[in-house]
Amino acid sequence: MSKSTIKAAIRIRARLQPIGGQGTFVQPPTYVDGRGNVLVAHHQRRIGGQDVHCTLVGSVACMANQFEKSLEALRAEGLPLSVAVVHADVGGYPLHESTLTMPHRGADAIARSCVVGGVPYMQSEPGQALLCNTSDVRRLARWHQTMLLLGGWFSARSHGGVKIPRCLQSELVAIHSVPCSTVGGRFDSTPASSAVKIYRQTGDGLPFSMDGSGKANKPSELPLGMIPSGIEERGVTADVYDMTATLSLAAVRSLRCGDVDPTPLHNALEQLGIAVLLRTLSDGIYLRSRCHLVPESIPIIEAIGADGSVSEITTDATQAAESAKKAIADCVAAGIPWGSETVELQPSQPLIDLITKSLAVGVGE
């Protein structure tokens, strides 16, 4: 294959607007600085030879959460993916997690604190799959495909644990943004003066008592009574919201399959990445209340050549999902395992004890 025919990356660009229309208020996710201040992430970007005021609406980590939701939806619609799930009631707390939603995916501490049929997770096949590296990822292709696409690091193990680079990433940025203020507060006609102290109670009984020891609370902390209105700079308006997503095929090609030709796996991950991106955009990008953005035109999908050439790819969400299914079938036919199992996890006794005792003292303590 000549250099000119090698694809270095796939790029998808989409211009979005709030569901209320251009110029309407958007309230992006907020971030905490080193002093504990809650802020919106404003910054300057160099666009068209000028410094342009922008606002980060969806960070790389935030957009990865959106991709995980899309992977769940694609799996529900028949796309083969393996996943480990835990569904349990622990002291009244509903523990419902999967390796698609856990912060560290298949290597997360929640999964590692569970058992599979009485065997600790790390002694099961999905757990043992984490003891590999990029020279042979076939066990990950069977049990943890999302880690191959979105990255994963078994950081709790100092050596011998998986560390896979992120191949698919995206950011959502408000271009030519202007900060906006919003107001907050709550009206409550219940007589509950801040001059009266109460004591918060945990559990399922009454939420407070009038007598107690330790730290006293204002009624508004429960919350009861009035919360005064205030003004905060928590939103933006902007000309346009730009989502740029890239799938690094160089990173994909760094994943090997031992002495087996990895090309079918690379093709499957490429098609899966495109399907995830288009599925993510199919309902728009909903991040929180007052932050739902929809494409203002059909997203542009491009293949970036190793020589800098750019060619457009024509497909839609439905076609991309079918292409991914076919590429996965070709991967299996080539002898590279691609699983679709659901692994049932049960919380271990130490995890049960941790959750139970945390609920008793209050999670925030």
Side-chain angles (χ1 to χ4, degrees), residues 90-94 202-203 352-363:
V90 181
Y93 175 79
T202 60
I352 292 172
D353 293 342
L354 171 63
I355 294 174
T356 303
K357 291 181 180 180
S358 298
L359 290 171
V361 300
V363 177

Side-chain angles (χ1 to χ4, degrees), residues 7-14 167-169 242-249 270 273-274 277-278 281 299-305 308-313:
K7 289 185 291 185
I10 301 295
R11 180 172 65 204
I12 291 186
R13 294 179 296 167
C167 299
L168 180 65
Q169 59 185 351
D242 182 74
M243 172 184 158
T244 300
T246 57
L247 173 62
S248 171
L249 299 182
E270 176 182 345
I274 295 173
L277 288 170
L278 293 179
L281 286 165
I300 299 172
I301 312 170
E302 299 168 318
I304 313 301
S309 60
V310 178
S311 57
E312 190 167 340
I313 298 174

Side-chain angles (χ1 to χ4, degrees), residues 8 134 148 164-168 247-255 266:
T134 55
L148 296 178
I164 302 295
R166 188 194 307 271
C167 299
L168 180 65
L247 173 62
S248 171
L249 299 182
V252 169
R253 286 192 287 268
S254 72
L255 306 175
H266 298 164

